[in-house]
Amino acid sequence: MQPTYIPWMGYFDLIRSSDKFVFLDDVKLEKSSWHVRNRIRGAHGEIMLSQVVATPEGRMSSRINTTEFKPGNPWRRKHLKAIAMSYAKTPYYKAYYSELEHYILNGSHNLAEFNIGLIKLLMNLLKIDTPTIRMSELGDIPGAKDVRLRNLCLHLGANVYLSPAGARDYIEQEIPGGEIAKAGVEVRYQHFEHPVYQQAYQPFISHLGVIDALFNLGQENTLAALKEGGK
């Protein structure tokens, strides 16, 4: 999966359900995508938090692992202010905010390194210990779409590939399981049903960044909700 900003609960269910998780960090940056933004729950509805990146070579030439944040832009402090205002009254705000604050203020200026580091921090808070690998550190894995995923599986010696449901269209564009299955690797699709839980404000909004669940539920209940949604 591409290393997105404050991913939603389903992203962490995919990590939790895997023996190895690969960050697809060497692909093209989609500037107006989850690569650089995500949502939290404020008093008056959802709030979109967007990182500010520099693309001197143009968006079409930028990759996640070579993209840097725009120097001098105060997005980090703005995001922390929004998070504090939104979650200060939640049951687990004091348990998690200071660690999150420290990371956001001091994390890397590189987009991939920052997002991967934040995901690993959230994994640690959730007590998810799945080993992770960066695609950019594996050398040249050739191909595109399901061909590249097939080559990745073969490189790592995988016999099962667990895919987000949204990738089915390009994996199975030609045949069931695509090139991955043709190589003898079983393809399974994640089926995650987003749980409903008590938020600080009503009505409930789903598919927010996972910190919404952490602040409202704490580690044990968030992990239990992940497991329940992933059944």
Side-chain angles (χ1 to χ4, degrees):
M1 287 287 288
Q2 295 152 11
T4 57
Y5 182 45
I6 318 179
W8 72 300
M9 294 181 76
Y11 191 107
F12 289 91
D13 174 66
L14 198 69
I15 298 175
R16 180 192 66 80
S17 303
S18 303
D19 296 315
K20 292 180 181 178
F21 184 84
V22 179
F23 290 111
L24 196 63
D25 64 333
D26 61 353
V27 297
K28 186 168 71 70
L29 170 70
E30 299 292 343
K31 193 173 180 182
S32 297
S33 75
W34 303 119
H35 295 168
V36 295
R37 64 180 185 174
N38 220 314
R39 304 177 304 148
I40 60 173
R41 177 68 160 98
H44 303 292
E46 66 177 56
I47 298 171
M48 184 69 77
L49 304 179
S50 297
Q51 298 165 305
V52 182
V53 297
T55 53
E57 298 177 0
R59 184 175 59 84
M60 297 303 292
S61 300
S62 299
R63 294 184 176 273
I64 299 173
N65 64 322
T66 60
T67 296
E68 304 285 321
F69 295 122
K70 192 171 183 179
N73 188 282
W75 67 266
R76 300 180 194 238
R77 293 195 177 277
K78 288 182 178 179
H79 289 195
L80 287 169
K81 182 179 179 180
I83 291 169
M85 291 181 65
S86 297
Y87 296 110
K89 295 182 180 180
T90 57
Y92 295 92
Y93 173 78
K94 290 182 179 179
Y96 302 118
Y97 180 78
S98 60
E99 198 166 353
L100 191 66
E101 177 187 45
H102 182 268
Y103 182 83
I104 290 177
L105 287 177
N106 299 286
S108 174
H109 292 285
N110 175 273
L111 175 64
E113 290 180 7
F114 181 95
N115 284 353
I116 290 171
L118 182 56
I119 291 167
K120 287 184 175 181
L121 169 61
L122 293 168
M123 286 173 60
N124 183 58
L125 295 179
L126 288 165
K127 293 184 167 51
I128 296 173
D129 59 2
T130 303
T132 63
I133 306 166
R134 289 179 64 164
M135 190 74 153
S136 60
E137 296 174 346
L138 292 176
D140 182 30
I141 307 291
K145 296 187 177 181
D146 59 331
V147 173
R148 194 172 195 223
L149 295 177
R150 175 203 66 193
N151 292 336
L152 172 63
C153 289
L154 295 176
H155 180 84
L156 295 176
N159 53 21
V160 176
Y161 177 68
L162 179 61
S163 171
R168 184 190 293 267
D169 287 346
Y170 73 77
I171 288 177
E172 308 210 355
Q173 192 169 15
E174 309 255 341
I175 58 170
E179 293 296 324
I180 304 170
K182 280 175 64 176
V185 178
E186 180 185 353
V187 179
R188 298 179 188 173
Y189 292 99
Q190 179 195 35
H191 298 284
F192 185 78
E193 295 184 10
H194 200 291
V196 176
Y197 53 85
Q198 184 65 43
Q199 290 177 327
Y201 309 103
Q202 297 299 316
F204 179 78
I205 299 177
S206 69
H207 293 73
L208 303 173
V210 74
I211 61 172
D212 183 83
L214 267 173
F215 282 133
N216 284 290
L217 301 178
Q219 181 270 326
E220 289 187 8
N221 289 330
T222 298
L223 191 59
L226 285 177
K227 293 177 179 178
E228 184 65 28
K231 286 184 178 178

